Amino acid sequence: MVYRGYLKWRMPAAYILAAAITAALLPILCKADDQTFKIILWPLWAEDALTGLTYVNIHILNGGILLTACLLFVDMTARPLHPRGQIYFAAGAGALTIVLRLYTKIPTPEYAALFIIGSLLPLIDRTIRAGR
């Protein structure tokens, strides 16, 4: 799809990078052995670097984010026209995907995030066009 020009590299890259940064920085709630809850403020640095990177990679490489990045951003009618707007659109969708995945019980947070950010598409286009 990149070869044919349907998919620009900047949208999947911004989506995956925003999802990785958000997963590394947002606090998570874990259940301990004694049935109490523990809040981990910085998951990337909670145990050690290898554990933190594994946690971030689980979020990125589990399939839903990669499927969204490579297939759902191809739709030319549901993405901003300007390249800068495409980066904002994809980064917002990536961050919202992780927020929905961590704090809600939505079964497919990737699609919900894309739908929510897609509803802001006219606002993104108008803001980018006015800022030129």
Side-chain angles (χ1 to χ4, degrees), residues 2 4 8 10 19 32 34 37 47-49 51 59-62 77 85 87 113-114 126:
V2 174
R4 294 268 186 188
K8 303 294 183 200
R10 66 179 71 85
D34 57 352
F37 289 99
E47 298 289 326
D48 58 356
T51 305
H59 279 293
I60 300 303
L61 299 175
N62 73 351
T77 61
I87 291 173
L114 196 60
R126 192 175 331 124

Side-chain angles (χ1 to χ4, degrees), residues 28-29 42 50 52 57 72 89 93 101 108 118:
I28 55 175
L29 184 67
W42 301 99
L50 188 60
N57 283 335
L72 295 180
F89 178 81
R101 184 180 283 181
T108 55

Side-chain angles (χ1 to χ4, degrees), residues 16 18 41 44 73 90 118 121:
I16 292 170
L41 293 178
L44 188 61
F73 284 136
L121 187 62

Side-chain angles (χ1 to χ4, degrees), residues 1-8 73-76 79:
M1 289 187 224
V2 174
Y3 174 73
R4 294 268 186 188
Y6 295 121
L7 181 64
K8 303 294 183 200
F73 284 136
V74 175
D75 186 15
M76 291 185 227
R79 66 178 183 206

